[in-house]
Amino acid sequence: MFCLPKTRSSHCHGNRMVAFLGILCCIAGIASAQTQIKVRIHADQPTVEISPHLYGLFFEDINDAADGGLYAELIQNRSFEYFSLKDTHPRTEFHPLYAWQIASSPKNRDRFVDATMQVHDESPLNSNNTHYVSVTADQPGTFGIQNLGFDGIRIDRSAKYDVSLYARVDDWRGDTPLTVRLLSPDGDVCGEVELPKPGSTWQKLDGVLTANETRDDARLQITTNGRGTLDLDMVSLFPQQTFNGRKNGLRKDLVEALRDLNPQFLRFPGGCITHGWGLDNRYRWKDSVGDVAQRKPNWNLWGYHQTYGLGYFEYFQLCEDLDMAPLPVVPIGVGCGFRCTEFVPMDELGPHVQDALDLIEFANGPVDSTWGSVRAEMGHPEPFGLEFVCLGNEEHDTPDMRQRFPVFAEAIRKVYPEIKIIGTSGLGTGIPIYDLMTKEKVYSSDEHYYMNPRWFFDNVNRFDSFDRDKPLIFVGEYAAHDTDRKNTLYSALSEAAFLTGIERNADLVDMTCYAPLFGRKGHMQWRPDMIYFDDRNVVRTTNYYVQQLFSRNKGDVYLANSIDVVAKSSEPLFDGHVGIGTWNTAIELAEAAINGRPLDLADWKSTSGEFDYTGGRLRQTDLQATPALAISHESFSGEKIVFTARVRKTGGKEGFLLRFASDANGNGGYWWNVGGWNNQQHGIESFDGDQSSTIAKVDGGIESDQWYNLKIEMNGDTLRCFINGDLKQQVQLGSLDVSISSTYDRDSGEIILKLVNPTAAEVDAQIEFSGVQAMASTASMVTLAGTKDAVNTFESPETVKPVASKIAAGTEFQHTIPPYAVQAIRIKSERTN
């Protein structure tokens, strides 16, 4: 069979995506002529080993991803610890009795006596869980409380649920047990269990409920019969069918969606929540282990509360269940730069460093160590085999950060030299802290990209020229943000194209993971996300399926390849609308023209800002708009387009945005940012939805109350920009073309070819293999294809899904790549003697 040697070459620079050939067609139609390419796979030329853990997961408790999501607990605010977050978020609805009500029944209103409920903190369950509810009835009868869950409680007919709570009574008259019921909103009993009568001290009571019907809107009711005060805390309801049947476990269908991605690592618990809103709100891993009743809950910077029921033990356990390497993220004494500038004084840093060391002991330490014994008491005496620790997340480049990071790195290396340290490259694609990571000799350095799809297409070759003597790269968070933050197929294809470049550079890029992972319907702080869910449904997005396709078809070694364009579909080089815009600036537009033909400024459409047409001029007066934008009603198409505008600045901080190749609503295409970046630079940026990415910048600014003649000249693949006749910028803009990756899987003896076509035209590909004696006559193929803007939704969760098929193959064969598609082709092969 075809067995390639393990090699780690310096790099193969010749295997690139098809050369960029023209301007992006932003409003694509069906091309009039089919694109033809020739693909050659050199099977006898292995280049770099593919990292065994290249594709993984990143979990952060955002969008209610933990409580009410991955964590299977069905009771919300189970320990009465919620409080208003008005000081940091507009979430004033939270309070200690949030999601709780006095017990009642629409069908048996006379059954209940009057009762009151109040939250207390005297004589609590423990010092970490300081609040509990007291329910008091002054006359004998039935009374209690009920919980509404997370937008209702999902139950399934015949399914069993573990119920538990802590209870005690005071000044009690009565001798009846507690009754726990599942109820419909109409008061129908959907399941019931009795628990023993509590005593005068805290006591844990538990039982099993069996549901007698299927509902998504049930509630849990706890009642008793008597007179006096009933105290309750840590009220819990868990489906027995958690993933792997684990107690305090995870929601089965959500973990199965993760398992189906074939992930090789898990980065957790964040993300920005590791820093917290401030140092007092940072993620303390020690609060998240041990008995769940002893864990200290917290609130997170995304604006809601977290129980820490899903804590570090459960993260490590999930990694073990899915055979993933754990990548815990440890704060390094520096606050979140987006929200605060706090940092731990250097002479107080010791306990924070010790927390990092104790975490490693919790994961790997012997059972007789301080924290290894905690792990053992939780039911896992064997070490978890922690190999990596991530220090920091999206740190801002500050002297405080540069002073503290080395302290953590040195301490870990001294006590645990075998642990691989993953650092952070800092904010933005310029990776400002990569120099510090190089100096500190970290294993890898974490980069994050939340960019528009065009950026991912334009950066397929990002890592080709990176220095191989510096740390490895961990792409720890990335996602293509298309128009309106939707999970379009186009966004997924841009990520697929980017991943072909990562696989080609797998000697440098060691790990990648999309972010964020989960989003609960109706509880979103961030979009897009990879997986959406509600209480019953799971939507796997187009981006999910791209991750799955690449993870399942990774291979072990990259094979050299080449690709040539034989014929190119005749798409227009420029297609769309032009416009004018500003950023925190007021302007006046006197005239605009395309190829010398004046445009009617009275008919331009404002999509943001305050535009007014009077006296033959178009004025924008909103100094707060970011951006303000007006678009011409006419669209233009052609090989050579000249867009001119006469404009002046009348107030504000920056200059002008000349828009071109956008749709009628200002989406897509490009703008020339004249006097941007605080009026210090001019720049050409691509634009998708609400995301822009910079293609090229030069120094420069503009003056107020001075007329400027601006010109953008588009000719072939060349873009030239002029101010008052002087050429300021010239760039070549690439068209979108097929990108490829070719790898070899040693276990299966298959060559894997991944093809990405982000265009509206079919691509006719002649595929040839060299360096092989024989190839199988058939191949297996998985295709993900659809329309450019296709999105999987709760209503239509399978608009785009992978389709498996068989195709004719061999050492040479003809293959058609559909429009807007990514494919993985696997072919058995034998090597040349």
Side-chain angles (χ1 to χ4, degrees), residues 165-180 193-206 222-232:
L165 53 85
Y166 284 81
R168 69 184 178 192
V169 293
D170 183 47
D171 191 23
W172 188 254
R173 299 292 185 270
D175 195 27
T176 59
L178 300 183
T179 301
V180 182
V193 66
E194 284 192 352
L195 303 181
K197 173 194 169 184
S200 59
T201 60
W202 285 114
Q203 180 182 1
K204 184 178 182 181
L205 307 174
D206 53 53
I222 305 163
T223 61
T224 189
N225 193 282
R227 186 185 72 185
T229 297
L230 171 66
D231 294 339
L232 295 170

Side-chain angles (χ1 to χ4, degrees), residues 319-608:
C319 289
E320 191 171 76
D321 286 345
L322 298 189
D323 196 22
M324 301 183 292
L327 271 62
V329 181
V330 176
I332 58 170
V334 178
C336 177
F338 293 107
R339 297 165 181 87
C340 73
T341 57
E342 293 180 330
F343 56 89
V344 177
M346 289 297 294
D347 59 358
E348 299 176 14
L349 201 59
H352 297 259
V353 175
Q354 189 61 48
D355 278 348
L357 298 175
D358 291 344
L359 170 60
I360 300 171
E361 182 177 277
F362 174 77
N364 293 352
V367 295
D368 58 354
S369 64
T370 300
W371 288 100
S373 67
V374 175
R375 182 194 69 240
E377 289 169 4
M378 296 183 72
H380 202 286
E382 302 83 7
F384 280 115
L386 179 66
E387 184 181 356
F388 305 93
V389 167
C390 304
L391 293 182
N393 169 77
E394 290 184 355
E395 256 66 24
H396 290 231
D397 186 8
T398 65
D400 298 320
M401 183 273 171
R402 288 179 175 266
Q403 188 179 21
R404 284 155 182 76
F405 184 94
V407 176
F408 282 80
E410 181 182 359
I412 291 174
R413 289 192 177 112
K414 182 177 180 180
V415 182
Y416 298 105
E418 73 280 6
I419 293 293
K420 296 181 176 69
I421 295 173
I422 298 176
T424 173
S425 297
L427 296 174
T429 58
I431 53 175
I433 315 177
Y434 194 44
D435 66 316
L436 177 63
M437 299 304 107
T438 302
K439 180 181 178 182
E440 290 298 315
K441 299 180 180 179
V442 299
Y443 171 79
S444 67
S445 189
D446 183 15
E447 298 188 13
H448 297 174
Y449 325 122
Y450 295 106
M451 311 296 285
N452 65 57
R454 180 69 203 199
W455 184 91
F456 287 93
F457 286 121
D458 287 343
N459 280 271
V460 169
N461 301 318
R462 174 177 174 82
F463 300 110
D464 289 355
S465 58
F466 267 51
D467 189 342
R468 263 54 185 175
D469 292 327
K470 292 184 177 181
L472 298 177
I473 298 298
F474 172 31
V475 181
E477 297 180 30
Y478 74 94
H481 286 193
D482 207 346
T483 302
D484 297 327
R485 302 288 183 98
K486 292 182 179 178
N487 294 84
T488 63
L489 178 59
Y490 185 67
S491 73
L493 293 176
S494 73
E495 293 158 4
F498 187 70
L499 291 176
T500 65
I502 281 179
E503 290 193 345
R504 187 177 63 251
N505 289 278
D507 60 323
L508 175 70
V509 184
D510 189 53
M511 300 177 182
T512 65
C513 48
Y514 183 100
L517 185 57
F518 286 119
R520 179 180 172 90
K521 184 178 181 180
H523 298 268
M524 306 293 297
Q525 294 88 40
W526 185 281
R527 296 180 69 100
D529 309 287
M530 191 194 294
I531 300 168
Y532 297 100
F533 66 92
D534 58 20
D535 283 341
R536 188 169 297 279
N537 304 289
V538 179
V539 177
R540 306 181 186 205
T541 64
T542 58
N543 313 79
Y544 172 97
Y545 285 124
V546 161
Q547 301 298 312
Q548 184 184 70
L549 184 145
F550 273 77
S551 183
R552 289 184 174 182
N553 298 280
K554 177 174 66 68
D556 300 304
V557 63
Y558 194 86
L559 303 178
N561 58 63
S562 60
I563 182 168
D564 298 313
V565 176
V566 178
K568 181 70 176 172
S569 63
S570 55
E571 298 176 350
L573 293 179
F574 174 78
D575 195 345
H577 296 252
V578 298
I580 192 74
T582 67
W583 195 280
N584 290 138
T585 301
I587 63 167
E588 183 177 2
L589 177 65
E591 57 187 59
I594 291 288
N595 291 344
R597 182 169 66 84
L599 300 176
D600 183 3
L601 302 183
D603 205 18
W604 281 31
K605 174 184 177 181
S606 171
T607 61
S608 59

Side-chain angles (χ1 to χ4, degrees), residues 74 96 121 181 209 245 253 307 342 353 379 417 434 462 528 660 668 736 801:
L74 297 173
D121 58 6
R181 295 185 178 93
L209 276 166
D253 56 349
T307 65
E342 293 180 330
V353 175
Y434 194 44
R462 174 177 174 82
F660 55 101
L736 301 185
K801 65 179 182 178

